[in-house]
Amino acid sequence: MHINFAMWRKASWQLIKMDDKKEWDALDVVSKWLIATRSAVTLVTVYSCVIAGILAARDGHFSWVPFLIVTLGLFIAHGTNNILNDYTDFNRGVDRDNYFRTQYGVHPLVQKFWDNSTSIRWFLVSGLLATLSGIYALFYTKFSMTTIGLFAFGAIVLLAYTYPFKYWGLGEFAIFLIWGPIMITGVYFVLSGFWNWNVVLAGIPFGLSVASVNIAKHIDKHDPDKEKGVGTFPVRVGEANARRVNQIAIILIYAVIAYLVFVPRYFTPVMLIIFLAYKEALMILGVMNKPKPAQAPEGWPAWPIWFSGFAFQHNRKFGGLLIVGLILDALLRTFLPTFWPGLFNKKKKEPSLFTSYLLTYYLPQYFPHPATPRHFSKPQTRFSLPG
């Protein structure tokens, strides 16, 4: 066995399909982990952490060591969740009979690349590494109640996403919260020590883009999920309604960014660079107007993926532009701090010391505010103007 750096790069960027167990056995441990955890998808965790890091750096709170430890831990936690997801669905009988999940990437249990006991060992080791990162965050923030709450929430979602959340139609909403407001604001909090509601709002667009991929994937497998009793959001509300909700999510991504630029002016107009993803956005909005085709269109390379393919491409384009925009925004805030807010918040001229004295002490003696009881006014001492 040798370290296959090329596979590390490939598995981090695209889903890998592999049928030969000998080929699998020849891979190094890291390559197997990246493939089995579908790291091309778990890369969204790194995006969320980078977004939080840039926002923290913009506000003067960035530190490399906690950022790298927390980012790596969250990335491993996401992979741990995917191992548990495959284990749970396989043993519940969902990931069998050429089910959707087995058609677009390696499933070690279905393909007998490893057995249940191996899957559990990988889950435990990955979970331990992710937990150590969380413990570091607890010590770094001096066991802040906010950090404890975030740690507990993340652990609950990791363990309960596959079952029961996904079966209750809550998995998609949990994904929006985790990879949007919760993770982005949480990493920001670890780095800064502050909870910032503008950062919560800033986390919504990327959370929506990640959730849109998940909703699209669940629409793609609506029929097999319904047959197997997996009550995802599209199964609960219906395929057509799920498509409408996903369209609204895509639109809200851009609406929230525009709001943060023009209303609280938390972002500068450079963030409007995200609108360069308009082609991918319009594509997914248009595709969502019609049900999934009965069979793959000619030349389509990723069947049975359909809606999720378009959503994934939009997420990649939007996510990349979002990070570029945030970097430019941080540079503007650093070197031209009054560029955007200063256009609207002109500093008022401060009154002179003499005027302040007149307004505070002299005039109230003779012209008390009608709503102020006389016995609360200042002592009746006459002030003589210099002659």
Side-chain angles (χ1 to χ4, degrees):
M1 182 184 71
H2 68 283
I3 298 176
N4 191 339
F5 291 111
M7 181 57 77
W8 291 17
R9 183 175 62 254
K10 185 178 180 181
S12 298
W13 198 249
Q14 68 185 66
L15 294 172
I16 304 297
K17 297 191 72 172
M18 185 181 298
D19 299 314
D20 187 353
K21 190 175 185 302
K22 289 183 179 179
E23 184 181 3
W24 171 263
D25 291 339
L27 293 172
D28 60 89
V29 172
V30 174
S31 293
K32 288 179 180 178
W33 190 89
L34 291 172
I35 294 170
T37 60
R38 307 191 294 284
S39 290
V41 176
T42 57
L43 196 63
V44 298
T45 296
V46 177
Y47 275 59
S48 294
C49 293
V50 169
I51 291 166
I54 296 171
L55 292 174
R58 190 188 81 160
D59 296 340
H61 303 301
F62 186 79
S63 180
W64 276 109
V65 172
F67 172 75
L68 291 175
I69 291 175
V70 171
T71 299
L72 181 61
L74 288 170
F75 178 72
I76 294 173
H78 190 171
T80 304
N81 173 265
N82 283 348
I83 293 173
L84 179 62
N85 185 56
D86 283 351
Y87 175 85
T88 302
D89 283 347
F90 175 77
N91 285 282
R92 288 178 63 87
V94 176
D95 288 351
R96 297 174 188 266
D97 303 324
N98 201 33
Y99 181 66
F100 183 92
R101 163 68 183 89
T102 65
Q103 297 179 49
Y104 65 78
V106 170
H107 193 311
L109 286 169
V110 172
Q111 297 175 263
K112 299 182 179 177
F113 288 173
W114 67 33
D115 56 17
N116 273 333
S117 60
T118 304
S119 184
I120 291 172
R121 284 198 300 271
W122 281 63
F123 168 78
L124 292 175
V125 172
S126 296
L128 175 62
L129 294 173
T131 301
L132 290 174
S133 169
I135 292 172
Y136 170 85
L138 288 172
F139 276 99
Y140 187 78
T141 58
K142 299 178 181 178
F143 286 84
S144 161
M145 289 305 298
T146 301
T147 308
I148 292 171
L150 291 168
F151 188 91
F153 182 81
I156 290 170
V157 172
L158 186 149
L159 296 172
Y161 167 76
T162 303
Y163 186 85
F165 288 171
K166 188 167 72 173
Y167 284 71
W168 293 348
L170 297 175
E172 296 83 354
F173 183 65
I175 281 174
F176 157 69
L177 288 178
I178 287 291
W179 280 274
I182 297 296
M183 187 177 296
I184 291 172
T185 314
V187 174
Y188 179 93
F189 178 83
V190 170
L191 295 173
S192 69
F194 300 101
W195 186 268
N196 187 327
W197 286 104
N198 279 325
V199 176
V200 176
L201 279 175
I204 288 175
F206 191 70
L208 288 171
S209 74
V210 176
S212 73
V213 177
N214 190 251
I215 294 174
K217 183 182 76 171
H218 289 167
I219 297 173
D220 280 341
K221 62 193 190 81
H222 171 273
D223 292 345
D225 275 347
K226 190 172 182 179
E227 291 174 6
K228 291 177 177 285
V230 183
T232 61
F233 179 74
V235 171
R236 296 286 182 183
V237 304
E239 186 266 356
N241 289 328
R243 285 190 281 113
R244 295 294 170 259
V245 169
N246 219 14
Q247 288 175 318
I248 293 170
I250 298 294
I251 294 169
L252 283 175
I253 289 170
Y254 298 89
V256 172
I257 293 289
Y259 169 83
L260 287 168
V261 170
F262 294 108
V263 180
R265 292 183 288 280
Y266 180 70
F267 289 143
T268 59
V270 73
M271 285 298 296
L272 300 179
I273 193 174
I274 55 106
F275 282 88
L276 291 178
Y278 75 94
K279 288 183 180 179
E280 287 77 9
L282 291 176
M283 181 69 74
I284 181 65
L285 288 173
V287 168
M288 282 283 173
N289 278 327
K290 297 179 181 179
K292 180 180 177 180
Q295 57 187 19
E298 185 177 353
W300 182 254
W303 197 257
I305 289 174
W306 178 247
F307 293 122
S308 49
F310 293 100
F312 188 71
Q313 289 301 316
H314 171 257
N315 173 266
R316 279 283 173 89
K317 182 69 173 286
F318 165 76
L321 288 170
L322 179 65
I323 289 174
V324 170
L326 286 169
I327 292 171
L328 295 175
D329 179 78
L331 291 173
L332 276 176
R333 293 284 187 178
T334 301
F335 296 105
L336 294 172
T338 61
F339 159 65
W340 186 238
L343 293 177
F344 304 91
N345 299 325
K346 298 294 184 183
K347 187 176 180 181
K348 294 182 180 179
K349 185 178 180 181
E350 295 292 337
S352 67
L353 182 62
F354 179 70
T355 304
S356 297
Y357 191 92
L358 284 177
L359 294 173
T360 305
Y361 297 107
Y362 185 71
L363 293 179
Q365 296 182 52
Y366 302 100
F367 306 101
H369 193 282
T372 304
R374 189 67 181 178
H375 62 273
F376 284 126
S377 60
K378 290 287 180 182
Q380 300 297 307
T381 55
R382 186 175 295 277
F383 171 71
S384 299
L385 295 174

